[in-house]
């Protein structure tokens, strides 16, 4: 995942505020084909429409920026000091919980009355920050100013003495208006929305008999169709005649498009944010507590993997497969995922050839492998091949999809008890018990080397610092110093819970396959219950709860919150795609059918054209957004072409 880090400004011996820096099947056939090839046009249209914005953004830096060169998510702040003594300017991000102020710089005393001394600084525009003005050398606080600066704007901070008093007045004045860096997102959204509307209208028009007849008459096969119809009559689809004593085919044997659509949505967003997401902060992982768009997709992928486990194991058991053979298959698949994660898409390739001395062991595919293996084993313990013979008259039958698998639930609960015990009771050297903070400058700098508490300690103990992720997102705002791995050992317990909740969604589908309303109502009930648990754990706050929502820790509240979202989203997609068939799931359906190939491919070919190219202005959100949308669209088109060729990579 893309990461950010603090930078230093060399002007006037001051450090700048943290900023973002890049690191680097038949009726719908025609409609789906048109929809897919139109995706290629989307990238071009976005480029044409948005490229002028990039030029506007880049050219806006020329005027009024003679002293400082601004990059993305930066603004210039000129501090004018009219006081008779020098002042120190410090800053703190509003997203930084209980943090120390960081020094921005020192402004000398005013030259004489009416002639202030001025110093230019670069400040971050991602989040609101609080500026603190202190006198030196006695460190007396003069004023505090919360302000949200705009990208590439010019601002002046005036520090003056109030008339007839010893008080100090501080005020921020906008010298040059900032640019609107969110316009490219709006343009891209409108283009995609318009394209979706055109597809919907085109599908309705194509469904008209008159239109289809006109297209056939104008096609190259018009004469062939006439001859066939004149000799044999019009072709008709005759439904097969079945004996009434045969039961209708089970709908569970039919692949649910909603599941692949859900997986595809998660995967497409994951690819987009991994490629950079236009370098917008909300398409990057949250520094510590809280959620951004980038924090949603991986848990959803784990969730739908659990749903697929329930359906596939049930189908294989009905087909006559033995549990031992399925166990061997699960172990082999998990091993393949782990090896691919360690040896193929390891982020250490950025540092050159792989070496054991600094090989990162945890990772996304590694966590998928572990979660898949454990949940598949749990399901093999309790799964039933034939569900039709189960009683529906018992008092507990309304909860059969839950109570029937109580041994597996017991195992998961025990795992969660283990997570809670290790998280809150494991002694961590020089850190308080149950510490869930980021360390660094957080918590007033008292626990600098306690990043992640027990989770970080266990990883450093079992893996070693050199085998962990070296640039965690906590460095962006909290300026942490030690490595921390968001896919570490302790968090893997909660990823098992996430996959198991997805498994529960699969059990609901299996038990109520002929009753869509029951499926949707149970999805909503599970979403509500998990939402209540999340509200309790977090106290409906970002930082004040018992267990905050935290992607780096994969905290319990993070899993319950994302599982709540997943149940509700899956219910909506199931209703739209499989129940009412208002939407085929395209284009997300296609990458969802080839998820492993798309994920591994986008990582391996990340630095190759057309997924990346040299930009004329690397400090433009618009150019990054165009590049990332083109790259993501390419993988959607590739997955569509593979689908048409019936090429699927299964492991």
């Amino acid at each position: 995942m893309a990461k950010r880090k603090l930078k230093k400004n060399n002007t006037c011996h001051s450090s700048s505020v943290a900023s973002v820096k890049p690191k680097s099947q038949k009726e719908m056939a025609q409609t789906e084909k048109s929809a897919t090839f139109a995706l290629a046009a989307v990238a071009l249209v976005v480029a044409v429409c948005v490229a002028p914005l990039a030029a506007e953004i880049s050219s806006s830096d020329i005027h009024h920026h003679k002293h400082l060169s601004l990059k993305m998510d930066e603004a210039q702040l000129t501090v004018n000091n009219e006081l008779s003594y020098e002042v120190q300017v410090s800053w703190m991000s509003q997203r930084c919980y209980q943090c120390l102020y960081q020094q921005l710089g020192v402004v000398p005393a005013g030259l004489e009355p009416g002639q202030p001394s001025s110093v230019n600084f670069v400040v971050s525009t991602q989040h609101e920050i609080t500026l603190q003005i202190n006198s030196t050398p006695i460190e007396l606080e003069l004023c505090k100013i919360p302000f949200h600066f705009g990208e590439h704007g010019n601002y002046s901070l005036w520090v003056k003495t109030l008339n007839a008093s010893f008080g100090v007045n501080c005020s921020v004045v906008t010298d040059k208006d900032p640019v609107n860096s969110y316009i490219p997102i709006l343009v891209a959204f409108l283009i995609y929305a318009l394209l979706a509307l055109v597809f919907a209208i085109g599908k309705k028009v194509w469904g008209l008999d008159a239109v289809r007849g006109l297209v056939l008459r104008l096609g190259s096969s018009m004469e062939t169709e006439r001859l066939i119809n004149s000799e044999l009559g019009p072709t008709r689809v005759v439904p097969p005649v079945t004996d009434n004593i045969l039961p209708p085919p089970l709908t569970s044997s039919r692949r649910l498009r909603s599941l692949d659509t859900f997986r595809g949505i998660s995967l497409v967003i994951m690819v987009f944010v991994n490629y950079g997401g236009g370098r917008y902060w909300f398409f990057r992982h949250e520094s510590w507590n809280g959620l951004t768009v980038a924090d949603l997709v991986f848990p959803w992928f784990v969730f739908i993997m659990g749903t697929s486990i329930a359906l596939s194991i049930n189908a294989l058991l009905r087909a006559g497969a033995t549990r031992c053979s399925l166990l061997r298959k699960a172990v082999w698949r998990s091993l393949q995922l782990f090896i691919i994660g360690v040896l193929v898409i390891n982020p250490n390739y950025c540092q050159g050839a792989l070496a054991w001395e600094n090989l990162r062991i945890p990772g996304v595919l590694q966590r998928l492998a572990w979660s898949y293996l454990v949940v598949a084993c749990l399901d093999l313990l309790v799964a039933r091949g034939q569900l039709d013979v189960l009683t529906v008259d018992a008092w507990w039958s309304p909860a059969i999809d839950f109570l029937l698998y109580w041994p597996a639930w017991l195992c998961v609960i025990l795992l969660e008890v283990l997570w809670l015990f290790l998280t809150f009771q494991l002694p961590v050297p020089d850190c308080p018990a149950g510490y869930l903070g980021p360390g660094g400058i957080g918590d007033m700098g008292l626990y600098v080397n306690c990043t992640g508490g027990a989770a970080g300690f266990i990883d450093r103990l079992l893996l070693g610092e050199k085998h962990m992720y070296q640039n965690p997102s906590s460095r962006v705002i909290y300026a942490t110093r030690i490595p921390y791995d968001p896919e570490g050992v302790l968090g893997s317990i909660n990823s098992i819970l996430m996959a198991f909740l997805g498994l529960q969604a699969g059990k609901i589908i299996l038990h109520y396959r002929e009753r869509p309303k029951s499926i949707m109502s149970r999805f909503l009930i599970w979403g509500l219950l998990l939402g209540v648990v999340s509200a309790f754990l977090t106290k409906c706050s970002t930082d004040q709860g018992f267990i905050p929502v935290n992607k780096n820790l994969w905290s319990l509240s993070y899993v319950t919150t994302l599982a709540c979202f997943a149940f509700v989203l899956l219910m909506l997609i199931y209703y739209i795609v499989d129940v009412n068939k208002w939407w085929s799931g395209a284009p997300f359906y296609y990458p969802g059918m080839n998820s492993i190939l798309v994920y591994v491919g986008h990582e391996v070919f990340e630095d190759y054209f057309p997924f990346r190219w040299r930009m004329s202005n690397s400090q433009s959100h618009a150019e990054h957004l165009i590049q990332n949308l083109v790259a993501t669209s390419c993988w959607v088109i590739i997955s569509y072409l593979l689908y048409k060729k019936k090429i699927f990579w299964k492991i």
Side-chain angles (χ1 to χ4, degrees):
M1 304 288 180
K3 306 290 177 184
R4 298 167 288 181
K5 59 182 180 179
L6 291 172
K7 301 182 293 182
K8 290 186 178 179
N9 174 26
N10 297 325
T11 305
C12 302
H13 53 65
S14 65
S15 61
S16 68
V17 179
S19 61
V20 172
K21 179 178 180 180
K23 204 185 171 177
S24 245
Q25 135 183 332
K26 209 165 186 178
E27 275 187 9
M28 300 175 60
Q30 290 291 338
T31 304
E32 292 176 349
K33 184 175 180 180
S34 302
T36 303
F37 282 104
L39 284 172
V42 169
L44 297 177
V45 174
V46 172
V48 171
C49 295
V50 182
L53 297 171
E56 178 183 350
I57 293 175
S58 60
S59 62
S60 63
D61 292 336
I62 300 176
H63 191 54
H64 296 298
H65 291 272
K66 297 180 179 179
H67 303 290
L68 298 177
S69 176
L70 298 179
K71 300 178 181 180
M72 284 187 296
D73 303 313
E74 290 183 347
Q76 176 173 305
L77 174 65
T78 302
V79 181
N80 302 289
N81 181 21
E82 292 188 356
L83 305 181
S84 58
Y85 48 88
E86 66 179 19
V87 296
Q88 177 178 291
V89 184
S90 304
W91 70 278
M92 180 182 67
S93 172
Q94 290 298 303
R95 300 295 286 265
C96 196
Y97 180 64
Q98 294 182 342
C99 286
L100 296 172
Y101 279 88
Q102 296 179 275
Q103 184 175 344
L104 192 60
V106 175
V107 183
L111 302 177
E112 58 182 62
Q115 292 187 5
S117 62
S118 301
V119 177
N120 295 330
F121 301 102
V122 172
V123 293
S124 171
T125 63
Q126 291 185 351
H127 310 294
E128 179 180 324
I129 66 173
T130 298
L131 295 172
Q132 182 186 61
I133 311 299
N134 293 337
S135 61
T136 59
I138 58 175
E139 290 291 332
L140 176 64
E141 181 181 307
L142 302 177
C143 59
K144 282 184 180 179
I145 305 175
F147 198 85
H148 197 161
F149 296 93
E151 183 173 341
H152 293 180
N154 269 16
Y155 301 88
S156 294
L157 170 60
W158 291 87
V159 183
K160 303 179 180 180
T161 302
L162 294 176
N163 294 330
S165 71
F166 295 100
V168 174
N169 174 261
C170 301
S171 59
V172 176
V173 178
T174 302
D175 298 326
K176 193 195 77 168
D177 291 331
V179 300
N180 191 340
S181 59
Y182 301 115
I183 289 181
I185 293 182
L186 177 61
V187 173
F189 173 78
L190 292 177
I191 291 173
Y192 277 98
L194 179 61
L195 193 60
L197 180 61
V198 171
F199 290 162
I201 296 175
K203 180 181 177 181
K204 291 292 184 181
V205 173
W206 179 254
L208 299 176
D209 293 338
V211 175
R212 295 175 65 89
L214 178 61
V215 172
L216 289 175
R217 286 195 298 271
L218 295 178
S220 60
S221 62
M222 181 180 62
E223 185 63 21
T224 303
E225 289 290 331
R226 186 187 66 78
L227 291 174
I228 293 175
N229 290 336
S230 63
E231 295 293 334
L232 303 176
T235 58
R236 298 179 183 272
V237 178
V238 181
V241 179
T242 59
D243 198 322
N244 290 334
I245 65 173
L246 294 178
L250 296 177
T251 57
S252 60
S253 62
R254 175 176 55 86
R255 189 178 184 102
L256 293 176
R257 295 182 71 95
S258 56
L259 302 185
D260 292 306
T261 302
F262 184 99
R263 185 186 298 107
I265 292 174
S266 304
L267 183 59
V268 168
I269 299 177
M270 187 185 298
V271 170
F272 176 67
V273 300
N274 284 357
Y275 277 153
R279 305 302 182 196
Y280 291 99
W281 67 268
F282 42 81
F283 290 136
R284 295 173 178 265
H285 292 296
E286 186 60 79
S287 188
W288 200 247
N289 295 334
L291 287 176
T292 63
V293 176
D295 298 322
L296 304 177
V297 290
F298 186 29
W300 287 353
F301 198 87
V302 175
F303 178 91
I304 205 64
M305 179 184 70
T307 307
S308 300
I309 290 174
L311 301 181
S312 62
I313 288 181
N314 175 263
L316 291 170
L317 288 176
R318 287 192 292 109
T322 64
R323 297 178 189 268
C324 290
S325 65
L326 295 181
L327 178 59
R328 288 193 296 269
K329 182 178 179 181
V331 172
W332 175 235
R333 188 182 191 195
S334 301
L335 182 61
Q336 290 180 83
L337 284 173
F338 190 89
I339 293 174
I340 293 173
V342 172
L343 301 181
V344 178
I345 58 175
N346 199 297
N348 286 29
Y349 278 116
C350 298
Q351 306 170 11
L354 287 183
W356 173 251
E357 289 76 12
N358 62 349
L359 180 67
R360 183 197 179 195
I361 298 177
V364 172
L365 288 185
Q366 295 91 309
R367 175 161 288 185
L368 284 175
W370 170 249
S371 303
Y372 176 84
L373 178 61
V374 175
V375 173
C377 290
L378 290 175
D379 194 34
L380 285 171
L381 289 176
V382 297
R384 297 170 181 254
Q386 301 298 329
L387 302 177
D388 299 328
V389 299
L390 299 175
T391 179
V392 294
D393 299 326
W395 63 268
W396 50 269
S397 58
I400 191 173
D401 55 295
F402 173 78
L403 297 176
L404 198 62
Y405 310 103
W406 67 266
W409 273 102
L410 180 60
C411 293
V412 172
I413 292 173
L414 290 176
L415 283 174
E416 281 308 309
V417 171
L418 176 62
W419 182 86
L420 290 170
F421 176 80
L422 292 175
T423 299
F424 291 100
Q425 297 298 324
L426 181 69
V428 180
D430 302 321
C431 303
Y435 183 71
L436 299 176
I441 63 173
D443 300 297
M444 307 309 297
L446 297 176
Y447 315 112
V448 176
N449 295 320
C450 292
T451 303
F457 174 70
I458 291 174
D459 288 342
R460 292 191 293 272
L461 183 65
L462 298 181
L463 305 176
E465 290 191 0
K466 292 185 178 181
H467 300 288
M468 298 167 57
Y469 192 67
Q470 301 297 310
N471 298 294
S473 60
S474 55
R475 290 190 176 183
V476 177
I477 291 180
Y478 290 94
T480 57
R481 304 175 181 176
I482 60 177
Y484 180 83
D485 208 305
E487 279 78 47
V489 175
L490 193 57
S492 297
I493 295 178
N494 283 336
S495 69
I496 293 172
L497 174 61
M498 189 74 189
F500 193 81
L501 290 170
L503 184 82
Q504 178 62 37
K507 297 300 184 183
I508 293 173
I509 294 173
L510 288 172
H511 283 278
Y512 305 97
R513 55 185 176 270
E514 302 293 348
R515 292 182 284 173
K517 289 185 178 180
S518 297
I519 292 176
M520 292 186 293
S521 63
R522 278 163 171 78
F523 281 177
L524 286 178
I525 291 172
W526 274 98
L528 177 62
L529 290 176
L530 290 167
V532 171
V533 172
S534 296
F536 171 76
L537 293 176
T538 63
K539 297 182 180 180
C540 298
S541 67
T542 302
D543 301 294
Q544 303 290 338
F546 302 108
I547 304 178
V549 174
N550 190 294
K551 190 266 178 189
N552 282 289
L553 296 171
W554 267 71
S555 63
L556 180 58
S557 59
Y558 175 69
V559 171
T560 57
T561 301
L562 271 296
C564 167
F565 295 165
F567 270 109
V568 175
L569 180 60
L570 182 57
M571 184 275 296
L572 292 174
I573 298 175
Y574 174 73
Y575 179 72
I576 294 172
V577 174
D578 286 319
V579 177
N580 285 329
K581 303 186 186 303
W582 291 337
W583 177 36
S584 68
F588 303 106
Y589 175 75
Y590 306 115
M593 290 284 290
N594 238 330
S595 55
I596 297 298
L597 186 145
V598 172
Y599 182 81
V600 174
H602 99 277
E603 290 278 5
V604 172
F605 297 102
E606 177 182 2
D607 294 323
Y608 293 86
F609 182 85
F611 310 109
R612 181 164 296 176
W613 59 84
R614 185 183 300 276
M615 293 179 289
S616 60
N617 181 9
S618 62
Q619 297 303 316
S620 165
H621 280 294
E623 288 202 39
H624 280 283
L625 184 63
I626 293 170
Q627 186 179 86
N628 302 151
L629 286 174
V630 169
T632 306
S633 299
C634 284
W635 283 111
V636 174
I637 295 173
I638 291 172
S639 63
Y640 169 77
L641 296 176
L642 293 174
Y643 173 82
K644 298 300 291 184
K645 297 292 184 180
K646 301 186 184 301
I647 300 175
F648 305 103
W649 184 21
K650 304 293 184 181
I651 60 175

